[in-house]
Amino acid sequence: MSEAILSRNFNIPDAHKLSVAEPRGAYETARKVIGALKPEEVTNTVLASNLRGLGGAGFPTGKKWQFIPKDSKKPVYLVINADEGEPGTCKDRYILEKDPHQLIEGILISAYAIGSHKAYIYIRGEYVLPYRNLQSAVDEAYAKGYLGKSVFGSGYAMDLVVHRGAGAYICGEETSLLNSLEGKRGYPRLKPPFPAIVGLFGCPTIINNVETIACVPHILKNGAAWFTALGSPGNGGTHLFSVSGHVEKPGVYELPMGVPLRDLIYKYAGGVKGGRALKAVIPGGMSAKILKADEIDVKMDYDGLKAAGTMLGSAGVMVMDETVCMVKMLYYATKFFSHESCGQCSPCREGTGWAHKLVTRIYRGEGSVKDLDTLLTIARNMEGRTICVFADAAAWPIQSYITKFRAEFEDYIVSGRGKAVAAELEAAGAHAH
Amino acid sequence: MGYKGKACDKPAPDFSSKLKALDAQAELIVAKYDQKSAATLTLLHLAQDACGYVTPEIEQWVARWADVTPVHVHGVVTFYSMYHQAPVGRHHIRFCTTTSCVLNGSEDLLGHVKKKLGIQNGGVTPDGKYSLEESECLCACDQAPVMQVGDDYHSQLTAKKIDRILDGLK
């Protein structure tokens, strides 16, 4: 395992408290940066570090910050996306719960860089313990004067509000998050205008993921070159990889960007459970296209997985062994997307529901082979036709599971074994139809 | 959105004194935001925590504080899965039914919970002790299978562990 940077406090008891975090270096870098460096110097360092948005989009962070208009008369906001929801992903929860001061320090430096005096953290509603630890860390920072009218006595004012979501996957999409933060239904907004120009309350706004912002103090402390060297070309730093499913040691692993997927599964996560054979891997959260067992010799970074026809996304790696039924996994994928579609755009609202009905029919042994082609047509007609990328994300599992495991789907349908599966589920009480 | 609880068929109780007791907190919450309307979700959490679920009276109270219309608040309530429009159990169970949990056997465990409590998704036990919601990913996938009971996450579930957790609640 490489050096722990973001996760260095995860196993330290009570590291969410200032009394533990501060002697371990919390706020040291922010204290040196604020007032001493020019905001553009901070942005340039982050730009040179190749830090990319770790929420899933992978957009260069420094470049995003530069989109804030220089002459804005309106206030500038920094919004932290802590609405972790991508299935397979459980990394931001550790930062929020175990080391919130690392995040607050990153917020101080990042807000300073973009000229913001107010930040909001949007945390998913179900994360109650992480919220409590985070809120108490914010209260401690205020009490010490690390937040408030004059941060570290520098004269720089900074306010930070923690805002709880209320159960909606879509609010992880940044413009949906803004609407939700404004007290509305979480409907995504049309872009342009981009949030850097018209964001929260109509003001210039930068939205960054928790882990992205947690990287910032380390970059300022150790330099852009250090951070770049940790990762792979164009993909700076380490990343928190969430590994779950059929592995011996599921967990969150901090490893350099570009670590081979094979190593992640076999070297770090202990290999496939029970020594069984690998069948498939979802490399970047539910939305990422699935990889077959013979496709795992890829580098885990934005460019490596894009070249493999999928994406790094939120780095939520879900491992499936040889016993897994792909029809069942597609059933749960379409269930997820039909449940979470916000309903704003017709192709997505209708498409996700229709797709789930068809997959349910197949799963229960009542489908036909023709349904598979209908599903691919639905997926094609959802992709790229909506306000946000949710519909694309819903289309990709349908396309990749059916295309890569077509023979298995056809065999499942033709054999009629879905009827037995349905009866079993009914007997177990798991499904009521 | 999927699970939204059932609309309440009984007349809503009078929460006016409970809400009055929350006015001071509501004022502080509204002051934290740059626009009053942004406090809508937070005020709903506050009122639901005190009253158990959201009634039209609560929507009107939130609307007054957030300076929005009651119908706006109702639209918000119906959008998010965490707001309840009818009473839930004293112990509300969110049972994760997404990929990593399914890979680790959540289908059978969910069946176990349903049989044990005698309720389906969205149901409340007759004694009002438990309610069940099939939830989407709770993002504790490294600890799958997972459920949330009230505020607390419980992980690496087995049927035995579920029994111990649920039977241990008052």
Side-chain angles (χ1 to χ4, degrees), chain A residues 77 85 87-90 93-94 118 120 124-128 132 161 163 165-167 180-186 201 244 246 250-251 273 286 318-319 324 328-329 332 335-336 339-340 363 427-430 432, chain B residues 1-3 32-35 37-38 40-42 45 49 72 75-76 78-83 94 97-100 102-104 107-108 110-112 114-115 120 134 136-143 148 151 153:
Chain A
Y77 292 107
T89 316
C90 45
R93 186 166 57 89
Y94 282 90
K118 182 140 189 184
Y120 288 91
R124 77 175 282 180
E126 292 88 346
Y127 278 8
V128 180
R132 286 187 188 137
V161 174
H163 176 94
S180 182
L181 185 48
E182 289 180 1
K184 302 168 186 162
R185 292 180 142 228
F201 308 126
S244 66
H246 292 150
K273 222 182 218 171
M286 175 84 95
M318 294 186 279
V319 177
V324 167
K328 171 168 153 177
M329 296 330 289
Y332 281 100
K335 179 174 85 65
F336 175 81
H339 184 274
E340 297 296 341
Y363 187 38
Chain B
M1 312 286 289
Y3 171 84
K32 288 203 293 186
Y33 291 92
D34 299 65
Q35 284 183 9
S37 55
T40 303
L41 270 68
T42 310
H45 278 305
D49 284 349
H72 172 91
V76 169
T78 54
F79 187 83
Y80 296 95
S81 67
M82 288 180 74
Y83 298 128
R94 284 192 191 88
T97 60
T98 317
T99 309
S100 298
V102 171
L103 289 172
N104 284 290
E107 278 184 327
D108 288 346
L110 176 64
H112 176 75
K114 287 178 174 178
K115 278 184 177 167
Q120 290 295 326
E134 290 178 24
E136 294 301 341
C137 191
L138 292 169
C139 287
C141 314
D142 57 336
Q143 306 286 319
Q148 183 173 27
D151 290 344
Y153 273 43

Side-chain angles (χ1 to χ4, degrees), chain A residues 247-410:
Chain A
V247 288
E248 286 289 348
K249 293 189 289 178
V252 174
Y253 295 90
E254 180 172 7
L255 291 163
M257 277 284 194
V259 62
L261 177 54
R262 183 179 292 280
D263 286 359
L264 193 53
I265 297 168
Y266 288 97
K267 192 170 154 192
Y268 297 103
V272 179
K273 222 182 218 171
R276 287 190 293 271
L278 181 70
K279 179 165 186 174
V281 186
I282 303 173
M286 175 84 95
S287 309
K289 288 187 180 175
I290 202 163
L291 295 172
K292 291 193 293 181
D294 60 3
E295 295 174 319
I296 64 163
D297 289 303
V298 289
K299 281 188 162 190
M300 290 294 286
D301 60 27
Y302 292 106
D303 304 323
L305 285 168
K306 196 175 169 195
T310 179
M311 62 177 184
L312 179 62
S314 57
V317 178
M318 294 186 279
V319 177
M320 302 178 188
D321 73 17
E322 57 189 331
T323 66
V324 167
C325 167
M326 294 315 298
V327 176
K328 171 168 153 177
M329 296 330 289
L330 186 59
Y331 167 83
Y332 281 100
T334 56
K335 179 174 85 65
F336 175 81
F337 287 108
S338 64
H339 184 274
E340 297 296 341
S341 172
C342 81
Q344 188 175 208
C345 309
S346 308
C348 177
R349 182 186 61 243
E350 302 304 323
T352 54
W354 186 11
H356 185 53
K357 272 186 196 162
L358 284 180
V359 178
T360 303
R361 183 158 96 186
I362 294 170
Y363 187 38
R364 298 180 59 78
E366 294 153 10
S368 67
V369 173
K370 212 173 127 230
D371 288 342
L372 297 175
D373 295 315
T374 310
L375 279 164
L376 292 175
T377 307
I378 295 169
R380 195 169 59 244
N381 286 325
M382 281 160 60
E383 216 181 348
R385 290 170 203 263
T386 52
I387 289 172
C388 80
V389 294
F390 181 100
D392 305 70
W396 294 333
I398 297 172
Q399 292 168 343
S400 64
Y401 291 23
I402 294 179
T403 311
K404 293 190 179 184
F405 297 93
R406 177 96 192 193
E408 181 183 338
F409 275 87
E410 288 187 4

Side-chain angles (χ1 to χ4, degrees), chain B residues 54-163:
Chain B
V54 179
T55 62
E57 182 191 13
I58 288 174
E59 291 175 354
Q60 283 170 18
W61 177 82
V62 170
R64 272 200 308 280
W65 275 111
D67 200 18
V68 293
T69 59
V71 73
H72 172 91
V73 180
H74 188 64
V76 169
V77 169
T78 54
F79 187 83
Y80 296 95
S81 67
M82 288 180 74
Y83 298 128
H84 308 298
Q85 295 178 77
V88 290
R90 288 200 301 288
H91 305 289
H92 184 63
I93 302 162
R94 284 192 191 88
F95 202 95
C96 183
T97 60
T98 317
T99 309
S100 298
C101 285
V102 171
L103 289 172
N104 284 290
S106 68
E107 278 184 327
D108 288 346
L109 294 174
L110 176 64
H112 176 75
V113 172
K114 287 178 174 178
K115 278 184 177 167
K116 179 182 172 68
L117 302 180
I119 52 175
Q120 290 295 326
N121 183 26
V124 186
T125 55
D127 60 359
K129 187 171 175 184
Y130 306 102
S131 49
L132 177 66
E133 171 185 350
E134 290 178 24
S135 98
E136 294 301 341
C137 191
L138 292 169
C139 287
C141 314
D142 57 336
Q143 306 286 319
V146 171
M147 67 174 176
Q148 183 173 27
V149 183
D151 290 344
D152 303 324
Y153 273 43
H154 299 276
S155 54
Q156 294 171 317
L157 296 174
T158 59
K160 254 190 194 160
K161 192 167 176 185
I162 289 172
D163 288 347

Side-chain angles (χ1 to χ4, degrees), chain A residues 166-238:
Chain A
Y169 167 78
I170 192 62
C171 292
E173 194 281 335
E174 62 177 14
T175 60
S176 162
L177 186 150
L178 291 178
N179 276 338
S180 182
L181 185 48
E182 289 180 1
K184 302 168 186 162
R185 292 180 142 228
Y187 288 143
R189 299 176 182 174
L190 269 173
K191 295 191 272 196
F194 288 91
I197 313 297
V198 183
L200 186 62
F201 308 126
C203 300
T205 303
I206 292 296
I207 303 142
N208 281 139
N209 163 263
V210 168
E211 189 187 354
T212 311
I213 291 294
C215 288
V216 171
H218 305 290
I219 293 168
L220 270 293
K221 183 182 174 190
N222 299 308
W226 165 83
F227 193 78
T228 309
L230 286 176
S232 57
N235 300 256
T238 56

Side-chain angles (χ1 to χ4, degrees), chain A residues 118-166:
Chain A
K118 182 140 189 184
Y120 288 91
I121 301 172
Y122 186 106
I123 183 169
R124 77 175 282 180
E126 292 88 346
Y127 278 8
V128 180
L129 178 60
Y131 163 73
R132 286 187 188 137
N133 288 359
L134 175 63
Q135 184 63 58
S136 79
V138 169
D139 295 343
E140 284 184 310
Y142 264 109
K144 280 271 199 169
Y146 302 171
L147 285 167
K149 290 205 172 72
S150 176
V151 172
F152 309 122
S154 65
Y156 192 82
M158 186 65 210
D159 276 312
L160 176 57
V161 174
V162 184
H163 176 94
R164 290 180 64 208

